[in-house]
Amino acid sequence: MKQPGFFDVEERLARLSGLGDQLEAFSRTVDFEVFRPDLELALAYSDGSKGGRPPFDPVLMFKILVIQTLNNLSDERTEYLINDRLSFMRFLGLGLSDRVPDAKTVWLCQKRLTQAGAIERLFDRFDATLRNAGYLPMSGQILDATLVAAPKQRNTNAEKADLRAGRIPEDWQDKPAKMSHKDRHARWTLKFTKAKRQDDGTIPSSDLAIPFFGYKSHVSIDRKFRFIRKWKTTDAAASDGARLREGLLDKTNTASSVWADTAYRSKANEDFMDKEGFVSKVHRKKPHLKPMPRHIQKSNAGKSVIRSRVEHVFADQKSQTGLFIRTVGITRATMRIGLANIVYNMRRFLFLERLNASA
């Protein structure tokens, strides 16, 4: 084995660039400094006047959270891979001799941002960047929700009943260590999926109902550029349709049309959209015990072509970044899903900028 030379690291980084380093593209395209005011306000690090080791740069810590979200990493794995990968160090602006934040520091950063409720401000900050770059919400909006898994809880029936009623089980109240590991906000629900064709070619008469535990991510994307513009996190059992009236509609979109599946079809939603000046393109439901009229079938099919674009957002988040809730409680789950939404918008921004550059 030859001895390492002075330019070996630079040559290896140049090779990574040639192979298509996504993080390098992030550094070129996304101005992470726009997040600094909100990060400094939320993290509230010491100014060093009282001595002690100086804190890590807030933007550096946020970029670590971006790496963590992109690769679905635990805090411990994040610390290890930053020390291990040249591409991570280059993205963070760290040299081989620089101090790297440990897992505890990464956890504390997330905790402070969560407690400060900063994720909504950070999301809005990047949304303003998108708008300034010319990516205005256009051509209407599409609403949908997806389930996000969380670690399953092993609770008794009595404990489940207390949690559903909003109470803390009596046995937990004098056991703070136990309660800190119990997720009191995630819920069980049934995930319905189409029955698959059997080996003999037959299809079962009923669809499959799969128990699911966790949270639900609700989003509204613009039809033109497919950026997430509005979002909300709830438990997995929450109704999709009711969220439409809870801030999911973007009034700044240049068009008034709203696409969504039948879960959002209700008189309350239709009245709300009409009152707020939106045009409903929500799928119509099949009449009870009657065949679907032909004209409604054709109308729904046309809407599906447009509405299906929101499914690509969820597919990207789950296949590319492995969206999963590792934490306990809806506040931290909101932080996790909010980060995933910011990172999705960043990746989408990179794609569109690359597309425009090659045009």
Side-chain angles (χ1 to χ4, degrees):
M1 180 184 295
K2 70 173 185 177
Q3 284 193 335
F6 182 75
F7 296 105
D8 285 352
V9 172
E10 290 186 6
E11 290 175 359
R12 181 62 59 86
L13 287 172
R15 187 175 181 186
L16 288 173
S17 299
L19 293 171
D21 181 4
Q22 184 185 44
L23 291 177
E24 187 182 29
F26 267 58
S27 295
R28 282 197 309 266
T29 311
V30 178
D31 180 12
F32 283 92
E33 284 297 318
V34 301
F35 298 104
R36 184 176 292 279
D38 297 307
L39 291 170
E40 290 181 341
L41 181 65
L43 294 174
Y45 286 148
S46 169
D47 59 3
S49 60
K50 296 182 179 180
R53 177 176 286 183
F56 287 99
D57 181 69
V59 176
L60 166 71
M61 296 306 301
F62 181 68
K63 291 170 82 171
I64 289 176
L65 298 184
V66 170
I67 287 177
Q68 193 174 48
T69 304
L70 271 170
N71 298 277
N72 189 25
L73 303 174
S74 66
D75 296 335
E76 291 75 14
R77 189 66 177 164
T78 300
E79 178 189 356
Y80 173 81
L81 289 177
I82 291 173
N83 282 281
D84 181 65
R85 292 190 180 180
L86 288 174
S87 60
F88 284 13
M89 284 189 278
R90 175 168 63 180
F91 176 63
L92 299 174
L94 296 174
L96 292 174
S97 60
D98 289 329
R99 187 166 59 103
V100 173
D102 59 19
K104 182 69 172 181
T105 304
V106 175
W107 179 82
L108 285 172
C109 173
Q110 293 184 72
K111 182 181 179 181
R112 288 195 178 194
L113 291 176
T114 302
Q115 290 176 338
I119 191 61
E120 288 85 0
R121 295 196 298 273
L122 294 171
F123 180 89
D124 292 342
R125 181 73 66 176
F126 189 64
D127 186 63
T129 298
L130 296 175
R131 293 167 188 259
N132 291 336
Y135 297 103
L136 298 174
M138 299 175 67
S139 305
Q141 54 197 298
I142 310 170
L143 275 63
D144 205 356
T146 190
L147 295 168
V148 183
K152 297 180 177 64
Q153 304 285 295
R154 307 300 178 185
N155 301 324
T156 65
N157 289 334
E159 290 171 341
K160 292 177 183 178
D162 285 337
L163 292 174
R164 283 194 294 268
R167 299 187 298 267
I168 299 177
E170 185 176 350
D171 184 49
W172 297 4
Q173 296 180 14
D174 57 349
K175 298 178 180 178
K178 178 177 181 178
M179 195 162 73
S180 68
H181 291 86
K182 289 291 187 178
D183 196 329
R184 293 178 285 127
H185 303 117
R187 292 289 183 269
W188 284 97
T189 189
L190 290 177
K191 181 180 179 181
F192 293 93
T193 184
K194 293 290 185 182
K196 295 182 179 179
R197 188 179 297 275
Q198 302 297 306
D199 293 337
D200 59 3
T202 61
I203 299 178
S205 58
S206 59
D207 293 335
L208 302 177
I210 304 171
F212 186 95
F213 183 80
Y215 292 92
K216 190 175 285 187
S217 170
H218 308 261
V219 304
S220 171
I221 70 168
D222 67 280
R223 180 187 172 190
K224 174 71 173 178
F225 298 113
R226 306 183 199 179
F227 286 113
I228 297 173
R229 302 293 183 171
K230 297 288 184 180
W231 61 280
K232 188 178 183 68
T233 302
T234 65
D235 64 78
S239 165
D240 293 0
R243 307 287 84 77
L244 180 144
R245 307 188 300 276
E246 297 178 358
L248 269 189
L249 292 179
D250 183 9
K251 294 184 178 181
T252 67
N253 198 293
T254 59
S256 57
S257 298
V258 177
W259 285 266
D261 61 28
T262 54
Y264 296 85
R265 168 68 68 169
S266 69
K267 187 177 186 305
N269 283 349
E270 296 299 306
D271 291 343
F272 177 82
M273 285 188 283
D274 184 62
K275 179 181 177 181
E276 297 294 325
F278 294 101
V279 176
S280 174
K281 301 288 186 180
V282 179
H283 278 46
R284 292 187 176 274
K285 298 179 181 178
K286 176 182 175 298
H288 184 57
L289 299 178
K290 294 181 180 178
M292 177 75 84
R294 181 64 178 168
H295 70 282
I296 294 181
Q297 283 186 12
K298 293 181 66 176
S299 175
N300 282 351
K303 294 172 182 175
S304 292
V305 174
I306 297 172
R307 195 203 66 80
S308 63
R309 294 174 183 175
V310 73
E311 302 291 351
H312 302 165
V313 177
F314 298 138
D316 181 274
Q317 288 183 322
K318 292 185 177 181
S319 64
Q320 298 297 320
T321 61
L323 182 57
F324 178 81
I325 304 299
R326 298 177 181 273
T327 53
V328 172
I330 193 167
T331 306
R332 291 179 177 176
T334 300
M335 177 71 184
R336 175 73 178 91
I337 290 173
L339 275 171
N341 291 341
I342 292 173
V343 168
Y344 166 80
N345 279 355
M346 286 180 176
R347 296 183 71 246
R348 182 70 183 165
F349 182 48
L350 259 64
F351 171 77
L352 292 176
E353 289 290 279
R354 193 180 301 120
L355 205 64
N356 292 335
S358 61

